Amino acid sequence: MGTSAVRVAKGPRAVLLLTFSGVALITLCALSMAFGALGVPLDQVWHTLLGNPPNARVDTVIWSVRLPRTALGLATGAALGLAGALMQALTRNPLADPGILGVSAGAAFAVVLSVGVLGMSSVYGYIWFAFGGAFAASVLVYVLGGLGRSGSTPVKLALAGVAVTSLLFSLTSAIALTDPDALNRYRFWSAGSLADQDQEVLLRVLPFLAVGAILALACAPALNSLALGDDVAKSLGLRLGPIRVQGVVAVTLLTGGAVAVIGPVVFVGLVVPHIARVLAQLAGLGPDHRWLLPLSAVLAPCLLLTADIAGRLIARPTEIQAGILVAFIGGPFFIALVRRRRLAEL
Amino acid sequence: MTTELAPVPPPKGDADPTPTRRTGDRLAFRIPVPPVSGVVRPRLLAVCLLLSAATFLAFSVETSVGDIDLPVTDVMKALVGVGDPGTQLIVHELRLPRALAGLLVGIAFGISGALLQTVTLNPLASPDMMGITQGAGAVVVAGIVLGRDSGLNTQALGLLGALTAGLLVYVLAWKRGTTGYRIVLVGIGIAWICTSITDYLLARGQRFQAQAALGWLVGNLNGRTWDQISPLAITMAVLVPPAVLLGRQIRILQLGDDVAKGLGTRVHTVRVAVLLISVGLVAFGTATAGPVAFVALAAPQVAQRLAGTPFPPPVAAGLTGAVMVLVSDLAARKIIPDTELPVGVVTGVLGAPVLLWLLIRANRAGSGG
């Protein structure tokens, strides 16, 4: 709790930081519209978006391929970044990410189940399975992590997540190993890609992502109290149960939606909050979740779009899936960051 | 329990007249002639004895069950070299390598996980999360998919991958010393990079290659031979004793580097030794059986909750790992008739409920870390 003078001084710096990240994101969106099998100069992209396409081909490419793909990267990236930041704060564990709370494993299991056992073959069919699987798994983790004498603790929650994840991973591999079709679909879905997804898929999950984002941002002030420890948070008048439930619901909606569409893209939710905290530290801001959550939501799509653009450029005429390149780009960056400074601990 | 033997300063003049004293869950004892003193945790001791019995039982059943079920007594006779030659052949050439692989891999993963979790102060720190198994996975899958499998076998590739990843994690985490925290985070970075390499290879490989690769990636004990057991056995003979002896030093690290230094612990030496031991155990274990999922993470946590200790006890963790792998392998062979599932598919299915059950009834808040 700083004095009001400090808050006034920090506000503009936080806005500046968010603005810079926003500019980076807009630049990346523009690049994402421009690069690909058909290179479109930036001014043509601009004119096409305003309704004066230079030719019909550019018009089609921008409106039916590039724009949906970029929007997908924006929406799912922001969702994963928010979810990661929220989860690390909720569990007070710097290693927490949506993968750890069982969300991705639940989605993956449901996809393999729907393909292998129910013979589902269309994306529209299995996104709902993925979503349902993500939801069921995170509710299960949350309930299991909260049962017992000592109630829910960050460590119990994280361990319950890992336990459920391995249980589901085992079942997923059992199905995938005995059913070649399920394995085949699973290995492409699990690589994580923004390509070949049409607008319809995004529009179907967008409402869930939006509700999740609102719930997540509404948690932010409470997360600041929670960061001081359960006891202090309680004495500040915070009711831990409701805020944890709200957080878990938000994480489930955000990751469930994102993972259902683009596959279990790992790393974004884990790394981006760390990067956001370091940047906030460099800007002289404290670990205030009212800034960290929006910052993560802006930085995460930057990472995802960079990976997607790089994947299109590196392996022309084919593509490398964004999910794979995220780790290639984010990994070394993350390690460099860990080496450079002592990461802001939670 | 040898790990719990803590040297007590020799009595000065007015020695405590009571030979044993109970403080909390520990029992301190002192025998005047010969002068021996130490601390034991009776519950830990009891848990270790029970786990040893369970390991022995699982090992015996593992050697007697198969395409031809043999009576345990016949197996015992065959083990010491008497009885029917046919039985001896089956036991020595088929059953024993598989059971020993399960036993050794379980112990190696359990001890390694316990050491890593203690030294990094994080219950989620296990070779599964820190790039070591992923490194092995990426190199082996590369071998399978890129067709280099013929020259080097998967065992050598797995060893190469695990050691490279372990070394990389350590080198990249080194900056005028290392901290547990930095090692874990760098490890996670390496883990995800390796995972994405594996995913890429799986997606670009042929169907049958993907299936073979996935079969290795979940961990498998099918068709182990003596050639694969011996390197692991030798490694463990070298690495396990120092791991057990270092137990006390490792726990002193938990008090923080400064306190540990003040108590005369050589912090960096201990940390390097612990990392070397855990990477070595995991590397050879993974080379033998693949990265059997979940054992290195769950076994120490299960052992810690069974023994009621504030840290994962290495020996009990090793035994828990052995029970997990052996029981899972039995289940993998017997659950679906005529299908041999890889053991790693079952370790998660059997291990996860146990860990969850222990988590739910854990009696002290935050006892996980």
Side-chain angles (χ1 to χ4, degrees):
Chain A
M1 295 286 140
T3 63
S4 59
V6 173
R7 275 191 203 158
V8 172
K10 278 181 179 173
R13 273 183 284 172
V15 172
L16 201 65
L17 185 58
L18 266 174
T19 313
F20 272 124
S21 318
V23 170
L25 184 56
I26 291 168
T27 313
L28 282 165
C29 287
L31 294 177
S32 168
M33 306 282 266
F35 286 123
L38 173 73
V40 182
L42 283 176
D43 60 319
Q44 287 190 15
V45 172
W46 182 244
H47 287 300
T48 311
L49 288 179
L50 290 181
N52 314 308
N55 57 54
R57 186 150 169 248
V58 168
D59 195 42
T60 317
V61 166
I62 293 289
W63 283 105
S64 62
V65 181
R66 302 277 169 81
L67 189 63
R69 186 171 182 162
T70 308
L72 191 65
L74 269 177
T76 54
L80 291 172
L82 262 180
L86 184 56
M87 191 170 293
Q88 291 182 6
L90 275 181
T91 61
R92 278 206 302 281
N93 190 321
L95 308 185
D97 82 330
I100 286 185
L101 223 86
V103 186
S104 305
F109 176 63
V111 165
V112 169
L113 197 70
S114 71
V115 174
V117 178
L118 304 173
M120 197 72 68
S121 61
S122 110
V123 184
Y124 302 118
Y126 67 71
I127 57 168
W128 299 117
F129 274 90
F131 202 81
F135 189 74
S138 50
V139 168
L140 182 68
V141 167
Y142 189 64
V143 169
L144 289 173
L147 286 176
R149 251 172 284 176
S150 51
S152 171
T153 65
V155 169
K156 270 176 74 178
L157 204 58
L159 279 175
V162 177
V164 169
T165 298
S166 357
L167 178 65
L168 292 174
F169 174 73
S170 297
L171 296 172
T172 305
S173 0
I175 300 177
L177 280 171
T178 46
D179 184 336
D181 276 341
L183 171 64
N184 220 30
R185 196 164 292 274
Y186 170 69
R187 67 189 172 122
F188 290 114
W189 176 77
S190 77
S193 176
L194 298 182
D196 306 323
Q197 311 283 7
D198 56 31
Q199 286 143 301
E200 192 64 17
V201 178
L202 177 61
L203 290 177
R204 288 187 191 201
V205 294
L206 208 52
F208 295 98
L209 298 183
V211 174
I214 293 168
L215 284 177
L217 291 171
C219 280
L223 294 178
N224 287 342
S225 312
L226 203 61
L228 303 171
D230 286 4
D231 295 336
V232 179
K234 263 185 227 161
S235 68
L236 287 173
L238 187 71
R239 288 171 61 216
L240 297 180
I243 201 71
R244 287 213 174 102
V245 169
Q246 185 183 345
V248 168
V249 170
V251 166
T252 309
L253 290 173
L254 290 167
T255 10
V259 167
V261 187
I262 61 171
V265 170
V266 289
F267 210 70
V268 176
L270 179 74
V271 174
V272 168
H274 285 284
I275 297 173
R277 273 192 291 272
V278 169
L279 288 181
Q281 238 179 9
L282 288 177
L285 302 165
D288 184 342
H289 288 92
R290 284 170 303 176
W291 298 118
L292 286 177
L293 288 183
L295 194 57
S296 299
V298 177
L299 291 174
C302 288
L303 177 58
L304 196 56
L305 285 176
T306 309
D308 188 44
I309 298 167
R312 282 183 247 169
L313 294 180
I314 289 174
R316 277 201 276 194
T318 60
E319 295 186 0
I320 299 180
Q321 290 91 335
I324 286 165
L325 276 170
V326 162
F328 263 102
I329 296 167
F333 186 63
F334 182 60
I335 291 172
L337 206 67
V338 174
R339 278 181 58 76
R340 266 190 87 74
R341 48 179 47 247
R342 199 159 156 274
L343 287 181
E345 291 193 34
L346 292 170
Chain B
M1 260 317 294
T2 43
T3 47
E4 300 312 306
L5 287 177
V8 172
K12 288 170 190 158
D14 51 340
D16 193 332
T18 49
T20 63
R21 194 163 39 166
R22 204 184 169 99
T23 46
D25 55 347
R26 296 158 202 244
L27 202 62
F29 67 90
R30 187 183 301 136
I31 308 167
V33 188
V36 176
S37 61
V39 179
V40 287
R41 288 171 187 265
R43 182 166 160 196
L44 179 60
L45 200 61
V47 166
C48 282
L49 288 175
L50 278 175
L51 285 170
S52 309
T55 310
F56 180 74
L57 190 67
F59 188 84
S60 312
V61 179
E62 174 87 352
T63 44
S64 62
V65 169
D67 290 338
I68 313 162
D69 289 349
L70 302 166
V72 177
T73 47
D74 286 7
V75 174
M76 291 300 144
K77 277 189 208 153
L79 279 179
V80 292
V82 292
D84 176 39
T87 308
Q88 283 197 44
L89 186 74
I90 292 177
V91 168
H92 282 277
E93 294 307 315
L94 298 175
R95 303 283 169 81
L96 206 49
R98 181 176 193 137
L100 269 178
L103 177 77
L104 294 178
V105 165
I107 294 177
F109 282 3
I111 291 182
S112 170
L115 295 182
L116 274 179
Q117 289 175 2
T118 312
V119 87
T120 58
L121 306 178
N122 196 319
L124 297 184
S126 80
D128 305 337
M129 307 276 298
M130 287 177 53
I132 300 166
T133 50
Q134 284 84 353
V139 175
V140 169
V141 174
I144 294 172
V145 171
L146 303 177
R148 304 282 179 274
D149 195 24
S150 44
L152 279 168
N153 60 22
T154 47
Q155 195 182 18
L157 290 172
L159 190 59
L160 180 74
L163 290 177
T164 311
L167 189 71
L168 213 57
V169 170
Y170 189 69
V171 169
L172 289 174
W174 180 268
K175 192 186 171 193
R176 277 174 269 121
T178 56
T179 63
Y181 192 70
R182 192 156 62 222
I183 290 173
V184 173
L185 288 176
V186 168
I188 287 187
I190 297 286
W192 287 133
I193 295 174
C194 293
T195 306
S196 71
I197 296 175
T198 309
D199 279 345
Y200 174 65
L201 291 166
L202 278 181
R204 78 160 255 186
Q206 306 288 326
R207 267 183 182 221
F208 71 93
Q209 292 170 328
Q211 205 153 9
L214 189 63
W216 188 87
L217 280 174
V218 292
N220 207 331
L221 291 177
N222 287 350
R224 297 302 111 170
T225 60
W226 285 105
D227 301 347
Q228 292 163 312
I229 311 293
S230 338
L232 177 62
I234 295 167
T235 314
M236 288 181 67
V238 175
L239 293 182
V240 171
V244 174
L245 292 176
L246 273 172
R248 187 164 160 274
Q249 306 285 327
I250 298 166
R251 289 196 299 281
I252 291 177
L253 285 188
Q254 290 197 314
L255 304 172
D257 283 8
D258 294 335
V259 177
K261 273 180 201 153
L263 287 172
T265 301
R266 286 151 73 191
V267 171
H268 288 304
T269 319
V270 171
R271 203 172 270 136
V272 171
V274 169
L275 288 173
L276 278 177
I277 291 171
S278 2
V279 171
L281 288 174
V282 173
F284 279 87
T286 309
T288 309
V292 183
F294 201 51
V295 176
L297 187 135
Q301 293 297 315
V302 169
Q304 176 180 344
R305 284 176 176 74
L306 289 177
T309 51
F311 51 84
V315 173
L319 292 169
T320 309
V323 175
M324 265 180 84
V325 174
L326 288 171
V327 171
S328 298
D329 192 47
L330 272 172
R333 291 156 62 188
K334 286 289 161 188
I335 283 175
I336 306 175
D338 305 322
T339 317
E340 288 217 340
L341 285 172
V343 64
V345 166
V346 187
T347 48
V349 177
L350 291 183
V354 176
L355 179 56
L356 287 171
W357 179 69
L358 288 168
L359 268 178
I360 289 167
R361 59 179 298 279
N363 49 11
R364 58 185 102 176
S367 61

